[in-house]
Amino acid sequence: MPLLDVRHLTTRITTGRGTVRAVEDVSFTLEAGETLGLVGESGCGKSMTGLSLMGLLPPGGGIAPGSSVRLDGRELVGLPARELRRVRGNDIAMVFQDPMTSLDPTKTIGRQIAEPVLLHQRCSRAAARERAVEALGLVGLPQPRRRLDDYPHQLSGGQRQRALIAMALANEPRVLIADEPTTALDVTVQAQILALLASVRARLGMAMILITHDMGVTAGNIDRVYVMYAGRIAESAGTDRFFHDMRHPYSQRLLASVPRLDQDPLGELPTIPGLPPDLLDPPAGCRFAERCPYATQRCRTEEPVLRGEHGHKFACWHPVRGPVPVAAPRRAPADATAPGPGTATTGDEMSATLPAKRAVSARGPGQPARAGGPLPATTTAVERDEPAPAAGVPLLEARDLVREYPVRGARLPGRARRVVHAVSGVSFSLAQGETFGLVGESGCGKSTLGRLLVGLDRPDAGTVALDGTDLGSLRGRALRRRRRDLHMVFQDPFSSLDPRMRVGAILREPLQIHSVGTAGEQRARAAELMAEVGLPERGLDLFPHEFSGGQRQRIGLARALALTPRVIVADEPVSALDVSVRAQVLNLMKRLQAAHGLSYVVISHDLAVVRHLADRIGVMYLGRLVETGSAEDVCERPAHPYTAGLLAAVPVPDPAAERAKRGHAPSGEPPDPVAPPSGCRFRTRCPLAQARCADEEPAPRAFGPGHAAACHFPLRAPLPEQPDAAGVVPQVPTK
Amino acid sequence: MTATDPAPLAEGPPAAGSPTGARTPAAGRGLGGPAVALLRNRRARAGLVLIALVALFCFAGPLFYRTDQVTVHLDLAELPPGGGHPLGTDANGYDVLGRLMAGGRSSLELGFAVAVATTVVGTLYGAFSGYVGGVTDSLMMRVVDTFLAVPGLVLLLIMVSMFSPSLGGIILLLSLLSWLSPARLVRGEVLTLRTREFVQAARMMGGTGPRVVLRHLVPNAAGVVIVSATFTVADSILMLSTLSFLGLGLPPPNADWGTMLTGGLDFLYDGYWWLVYPPAALLVLTVVAFNLLGDALHDALDVRLKRT
């Protein structure tokens, strides 16, 4: 008898707009010690399945008759609330996604972990407290006894997630449901938390349900994969089998649309056009049919049944065979096969719903759209009177940038001046048409650096030069004119657009600020921009909240393009988006770059995204660039131990690669940027650190043309000391 | 501030089903969304209907029911309801029903005037203070704190006893006292709004301060502003009544509900109920109506904010 036996689970949620069919006929079994993965995009019913098992549905939610959830043979559906409460938090426990909001900020960690113990076991407060200490030790929080009286805000994100897991484990549940437990965390911390979950599962013999959208996490941490789409199971298989012989087109596309660290970023990512269906009124037939390239009439009318054998089942009338063939094998000679940007041809994205696609493809991705645009050429080319870029002068150059924020309250007399060292002496340069990627954990200063580049913030020292002109020396009008060349795309598509403005007004705003063209020309330009990012023109009259996240990010890109800038700084452009939408936006960014000769600075915590977009990569740690080099050099031949650690932490969507992974993710979390470690800032987490690292700050050394790293004990032999001919110096050591 | 945004939240269910605003375009036009939400709210409907009735009574009423509210007719004083006077007459021989209309007119005029004045001044002051920040913000807010520290009623009483009040004068005085709370509300709102990325985007494009404040900050703070303006109407009407009740309101022959109440109380023990209950009831009704509307507005605008 399986530990957990779910049959025909169907969940409905009644809302003001109708009944949402959130989960439809989901069946699976789970054995003790096994990890099952629910995989899919957001809104596909993964979380709802988890909540249904726990009996924690939102108001209006209910499990339909005919559903059955058996835990050790005991039926949970229809159990009285009192009985169910005894199961919940005791036999089945849940870890939620966001450690920032899942803990009560007014109670100590100790009390919160002891709470489920007190609820479910007859024991004294002191005993419950002891249990909390044990649980905290189990999840690897150092000095658990001292942590007990801490409040959530005193812990870092990773520590909070550990505390949440400790809370779930306090009663040694038999089934643990982890709902995107690492989505809100850095890759390095994600690796630690996933390893922790695996180890406690093994030690306690628990069964685990891991809910995730990340194919990499799936490959490395799950025994059986259940792909969900629109509330239904689309495919289920053992992990190895799934990754090598997937049959459902959705699984195939989902995997293919993820940019991968272990592949050369050639051409465009395959995407899934459109969006998941509205579960208020799911389509008849196969729910994926509308987005499926193989769909036929039968798919639209007849619902496919889940079929298959040997534990591999799929619901599809026209199954595929295995994953999309990988375009380029790893370590292919990059210069031989790489087509130039702009020769990429895929154009299938957005084709399903958007009439504007015609406008884009008619123009062709290679031709600059602005040349034929209705905006008079004079306003863009003449007024700008740009100096011809002198040979050897990079388009954008940052030199020794320093930004330090005073800590709150530090200005009061009698207190030492304490500052956050956000950016400490960063230099790099960007050539025309090039993409520079900045990666690092959160808090490493990469976003601050981005703000310095576009002039949202002023450096305390150092310069940002565009075409050799120091932006810091410009004031008023001249600065405003220069700003037309620099633009930014923000992370959050929900807060980067003014909710009270129509999209048309949002796109016209930069033109109005710079008095470009007449009102009519501005309107025409806005329409043209919409077409360029693949949105229909009628969208101009809508408000931002009427668009999905991916569409809003397109609007953000359109706004950034309005003044035909030369450099766009993109701060986490896709991290708030769903997997399939992410691929669409990444493709669009590449296409726009090819069409306009744009230069990008892409800031992301996601190495795979950066690898996909960037020509060169800079790795930041605690305000410093520790390694720079071509994307290939940094990802394939890292010299700095931190880079290697980051690379090891990124989950790869390939079970074999995940098992064969060498190297370790850095342990712990970055130290406080108020008091960075002496010498090499990475030394506190570095496996290779020695005494010298604490005393002496490493100077950057060259490891190849354009490849440099600042480390005393690099992973590869540096080039012999010589004046750096390439002029690539990632940072100049400052005292 | 980089990696904390959870992916699944972004492609949330509300928009997921409708590619590119396939939803009816009317749904989100202008204030259409909140207006619809507002009209669905029972409190809002009740408040709006009541306000409309009171306004109709005060402004359109005198067109059909003409009375003399200027000349004193001591011979007609304190007549009980009946005959030519549906609600009787007061100590000066004024018709009570007609006087209720006239009094309501000055009350409503005052309420709206104060609300508009304080909203405009308070919003701009608060938005500017919050946007500029730093020392300027601190100074501007200390000014507000100082004003708030002065007991309003005492100040009013002093001013009113020093200068003979007119409706305009009282409007000015009340506005001076009540622009403070919208200023603080708007500043608080702006402090959170200005860190939002769309504001940063406007600054990065080279948008000037006034542009950012007027085009982005003020429209987005409009929710709290509208709600507070609604409550200000009710508060000002009450304040005027308080002043009048203390005998420091509008000088006769001007009418207002507070003065009518004071006059009526003197005769309460004589059983002249028609001098007390009608103005009291109208006052309560009007204030309740504005509060109902304010509450409902708050909810309606909140819903919209959640949706976006």
Side-chain angles (χ1 to χ4, degrees):
Chain A
M1 188 172 58
L3 178 59
L4 189 70
D5 188 356
V6 178
R7 287 194 193 172
H8 310 298
L9 179 68
T10 299
T11 302
R12 304 252 183 278
I13 301 163
T14 311
T15 67
R17 295 195 300 143
T19 301
V20 178
R21 304 151 75 89
V23 179
E24 191 96 37
D25 195 16
V26 166
S27 305
F28 57 81
T29 59
L30 184 62
E31 303 288 349
E34 194 185 24
T35 303
L36 177 153
L38 293 177
V39 183
E41 289 175 274
S42 58
C44 281
K46 299 167 299 177
S47 292
M48 275 304 153
T49 306
L51 292 173
S52 302
L53 299 181
M54 291 284 286
L56 284 177
L57 289 172
I63 294 176
S67 311
S68 155
V69 177
R70 283 172 186 274
L71 178 71
D72 239 352
R74 183 182 180 207
E75 179 63 54
L76 297 185
V77 173
L79 218 55
R82 224 177 104 87
E83 300 280 312
L84 199 58
R85 271 205 296 275
R86 264 191 218 145
V87 176
R88 204 190 288 153
N90 195 20
D91 295 320
I92 306 182
M94 192 153 181
V95 177
F96 294 96
Q97 172 177 338
D98 189 356
M100 303 298 158
T101 55
S102 302
L103 287 167
D104 183 342
T106 63
K107 280 189 186 170
T108 62
I109 299 293
R111 280 189 59 188
Q112 293 189 57
I113 298 173
E115 196 175 355
V117 183
L118 285 170
L119 281 174
H120 290 287
Q121 291 168 24
R122 253 167 242 251
C123 69
S124 66
R125 269 181 190 282
R129 203 175 147 86
E130 275 313 300
R131 185 76 199 118
V133 175
E134 268 175 59
L136 276 179
L138 188 69
V139 298
L141 210 63
Q143 298 176 305
R145 205 168 288 278
R146 282 174 59 184
R147 287 294 183 199
L148 275 189
D149 296 320
D150 279 354
Y151 285 89
H153 71 264
Q154 291 168 291
L155 305 182
S156 69
Q159 288 173 331
R160 277 185 244 189
Q161 193 59 293
R162 283 175 197 266
L164 265 180
I165 294 173
M167 217 162 125
L169 294 180
N171 283 327
E172 301 199 357
R174 286 187 288 175
V175 179
L176 181 71
I177 303 175
D179 187 356
E180 304 265 13
T182 56
T183 305
L185 305 174
D186 265 318
V187 263
T188 50
V189 182
Q190 162 168 297
Q192 295 164 20
I193 295 290
L194 290 172
L196 165 70
L197 283 174
S199 85
V200 292
R201 188 202 62 193
R203 256 190 286 173
L204 303 180
M206 286 186 311
M208 193 156 88
I209 298 178
L210 187 63
I211 298 174
T212 180
H213 68 277
D214 186 326
M215 280 293 176
V217 171
T218 308
N221 299 279
I222 283 170
D223 300 321
R224 284 188 62 76
V225 179
Y226 284 78
V227 176
M228 285 193 77
Y229 186 75
R232 285 180 166 275
I233 301 273
E235 181 162 9
S236 69
T239 303
D240 277 324
R241 176 122 195 212
F242 174 78
F243 277 94
H244 296 121
D245 188 27
M246 48 184 50
R247 307 299 305 274
H248 200 288
Y250 177 63
S251 317
Q252 187 196 37
R253 293 250 141 182
L254 199 59
L255 179 62
S257 63
V258 184
R260 289 176 66 162
L261 202 52
D262 57 346
Q263 282 164 20
D264 282 319
L266 298 180
E268 302 205 334
L269 291 167
T271 63
I272 309 177
L275 294 164
D278 191 351
L279 292 181
L280 273 175
D281 181 24
C286 174
R287 294 184 176 185
F288 186 59
E290 202 159 285
R291 305 171 74 190
C292 181
Y294 310 107
T296 58
Q297 198 48 44
R298 185 184 186 193
C299 300
R300 297 200 175 85
T301 50
E302 204 177 331
E303 191 161 319
V305 287
L306 203 59
R307 64 202 162 103
E309 73 295 327
H310 304 307
H312 186 177
K313 292 185 176 176
F314 48 92
C316 182
W317 296 124
H318 307 289
V320 294
R321 280 241 157 248
V324 177
V326 171
R330 191 177 176 143
R331 291 180 211 293
D335 49 346
T337 49
T343 52
T345 45
T346 1
D348 66 334
E349 64 156 328
M350 306 307 291
S351 57
T353 47
L354 298 172
K357 184 220 163 198
R358 246 183 311 122
V360 175
S361 54
R363 190 178 291 124
Q367 298 164 18
R370 84 170 107 131
L375 209 65
T378 49
T379 56
T380 52
V382 175
E383 199 182 287
R384 181 173 297 174
D385 62 271
E386 52 201 35
V393 176
L395 178 58
L396 183 75
E397 189 175 24
R399 197 168 275 279
D400 303 334
L401 284 179
V402 175
R403 182 71 178 109
E404 295 172 349
Y405 298 105
V407 176
R408 222 164 210 268
R411 282 204 200 134
L412 291 178
R415 283 202 210 167
R417 186 173 173 267
R418 279 154 48 89
V419 293
V420 175
H421 299 265
V423 176
S424 312
V426 170
S427 305
F428 71 91
S429 62
L430 182 71
Q432 175 82 39
E434 191 188 36
T435 301
F436 186 75
L438 270 173
V439 287
E441 290 161 283
S442 53
C444 73
K446 54 191 191 310
S447 288
T448 306
L449 183 56
R451 292 167 56 87
L452 292 176
L453 292 178
V454 297
L456 270 178
D457 201 353
R458 280 186 179 265
D460 293 317
T463 55
V464 178
L466 189 70
D467 274 338
T469 319
D470 176 12
L471 292 180
S473 68
L474 299 177
R475 289 282 181 280
R477 240 186 141 165
L479 176 64
R480 197 162 286 177
R481 182 173 298 179
R482 272 292 162 200
R483 279 199 161 152
R484 294 178 53 174
D485 286 334
L486 271 170
H487 225 290
M488 190 160 189
V489 173
F490 294 90
Q491 167 180 5
D492 182 357
F494 285 80
S495 91
S496 61
L497 306 176
D498 189 334
R500 304 263 172 199
M501 274 166 94
R502 285 169 209 278
V503 170
I506 289 172
L507 294 184
R508 286 197 305 273
E509 184 168 35
L511 302 171
Q512 285 168 354
I513 287 175
H514 291 274
S515 319
V516 177
T518 63
E521 285 164 355
Q522 289 173 358
R523 266 195 295 281
R525 174 79 179 136
E528 183 187 292
L529 286 167
M530 286 294 269
E532 201 157 344
V533 297
L535 291 174
E537 202 179 315
R538 66 189 151 92
L540 288 171
D541 293 327
L542 303 177
F543 283 90
H545 69 87
E546 294 171 81
F547 292 85
S548 70
Q551 290 168 336
R552 283 160 165 242
Q553 203 59 313
R554 285 165 189 269
I555 297 169
L557 268 169
R559 177 177 60 186
L561 284 174
L563 293 166
T564 58
R566 294 156 76 197
V567 182
I568 289 184
V569 177
D571 189 356
E572 303 275 5
V574 294
S575 60
L577 305 176
D578 235 324
V579 192
S580 67
V581 180
R582 205 176 274 198
Q584 294 174 8
V585 172
L586 289 176
N587 285 347
L588 178 66
M589 284 181 70
K590 277 202 156 185
R591 205 182 299 155
L592 292 173
Q593 178 170 41
H596 298 281
L598 289 169
S599 305
Y600 285 130
V601 176
V602 176
I603 299 168
S604 180
H605 69 283
D606 188 338
L607 254 171
V609 165
V610 168
R611 167 98 214 246
H612 181 75
L613 286 175
D615 305 308
R616 289 196 301 126
I617 293 180
V619 181
M620 270 189 93
Y621 185 77
L622 269 189
R624 289 190 177 278
L625 267 181
V626 296
E627 181 161 3
T628 51
S630 71
E632 201 189 331
D633 275 339
V634 171
C635 293
E636 309 284 345
R637 296 176 284 279
H640 200 284
Y642 179 59
T643 313
L646 269 186
L647 286 165
V650 177
V652 177
D654 179 353
E658 274 290 295
R659 276 193 296 269
K661 214 176 227 179
R662 296 148 298 147
H664 292 287
S667 54
E669 292 176 50
D672 188 359
V674 171
S678 65
C680 173
R681 292 190 173 178
F682 183 57
R683 70 179 161 85
T684 50
R685 296 167 74 193
C686 183
L688 307 174
Q690 297 186 19
R692 186 183 169 200
C693 300
D695 301 335
E696 194 183 328
E697 177 149 356
R701 287 187 283 178
F703 291 83
H707 184 193
C711 180
H712 289 307
F713 306 101
L715 300 173
R716 18 184 11 98
L719 295 180
E721 285 296 328
Q722 59 178 4
D724 197 338
V728 178
V729 181
Q731 66 188 54
V732 176
T734 47
K735 291 286 130 60
Chain B
M1 76 177 266
T2 47
T4 48
D5 200 85
L9 278 180
E11 288 283 335
S18 60
T20 329
R23 204 177 300 160
T24 49
R29 292 253 165 152
L31 283 168
V36 170
L38 189 66
L39 289 179
R40 281 211 196 106
N41 186 316
R42 216 182 298 158
R43 280 171 304 161
R45 285 201 303 263
L48 280 172
V49 166
L50 280 177
I51 291 168
L53 285 179
V54 170
L56 211 65
F57 171 75
C58 298
F59 290 93
L63 299 179
F64 303 102
Y65 183 76
R66 292 174 189 282
T67 52
D68 180 6
Q69 299 291 336
V70 180
T71 345
V72 178
H73 293 281
L74 287 176
D75 51 326
L76 297 175
E78 291 154 23
L79 294 177
H85 304 287
L87 282 177
T89 60
D90 67 4
N92 293 326
Y94 295 136
D95 179 81
V96 170
L97 184 61
R99 200 151 185 81
L100 280 176
M101 295 173 181
R105 213 158 54 190
S106 49
S107 293
L108 286 180
E109 277 169 12
L110 170 118
F112 279 109
V114 171
V116 169
T118 58
T119 303
V120 171
V121 175
T123 303
L124 291 180
Y125 190 93
F128 182 74
S129 178
Y131 176 71
V132 175
V135 182
T136 319
D137 177 43
S138 300
L139 282 177
M140 288 176 78
M141 280 302 120
R142 291 304 80 72
V143 170
V144 170
D145 291 344
T146 312
F147 268 95
L148 276 175
V150 179
L153 192 59
V154 174
L155 186 71
L156 268 180
L157 289 178
I158 294 172
M159 299 299 281
V160 168
S161 54
M162 281 166 67
F163 310 99
S164 149
S166 64
L167 187 60
I170 293 185
I171 289 175
L172 192 73
L173 276 177
L174 282 180
S175 303
L176 269 179
L177 284 176
S178 38
W179 64 277
L180 304 160
S181 82
R184 275 162 61 117
L185 273 175
V186 170
R187 173 182 172 266
E189 196 71 7
V190 163
L191 282 187
T192 55
L193 280 173
R194 72 170 189 170
T195 62
R196 296 271 294 273
E197 288 174 343
F198 67 83
V199 175
Q200 298 187 23
R203 280 176 52 202
M204 185 193 52
M205 287 174 224
T208 54
R211 182 188 184 88
V212 172
V213 170
L214 294 177
R215 293 271 312 197
H216 296 285
L217 296 178
V218 170
N220 278 287
V224 286
V225 171
I226 293 172
V227 172
S228 108
T230 313
F231 288 124
T232 305
V233 176
D235 290 349
S236 310
I237 292 176
L238 267 185
M239 201 62 165
L240 174 69
S241 303
T242 311
L243 278 181
S244 309
F245 188 77
L246 294 172
L248 294 166
L250 300 172
N254 289 311
D256 82 79
W257 293 336
T259 319
M260 292 173 73
L261 265 181
T262 326
L265 274 185
D266 296 341
F267 303 99
L268 193 61
Y269 295 112
D270 302 328
Y272 297 165
W273 58 268
W274 62 91
L275 295 182
V276 177
Y277 292 116
L282 261 182
L283 188 61
V284 169
L285 208 66
T286 311
V287 171
V288 165
F290 277 104
N291 279 303
L292 281 175
L293 182 65
D295 268 351
L297 269 173
H298 181 100
D299 294 355
L301 292 167
D302 233 25
V303 167
R304 181 184 157 87
L305 289 180
K306 264 181 223 147
R307 227 163 33 118
T308 53

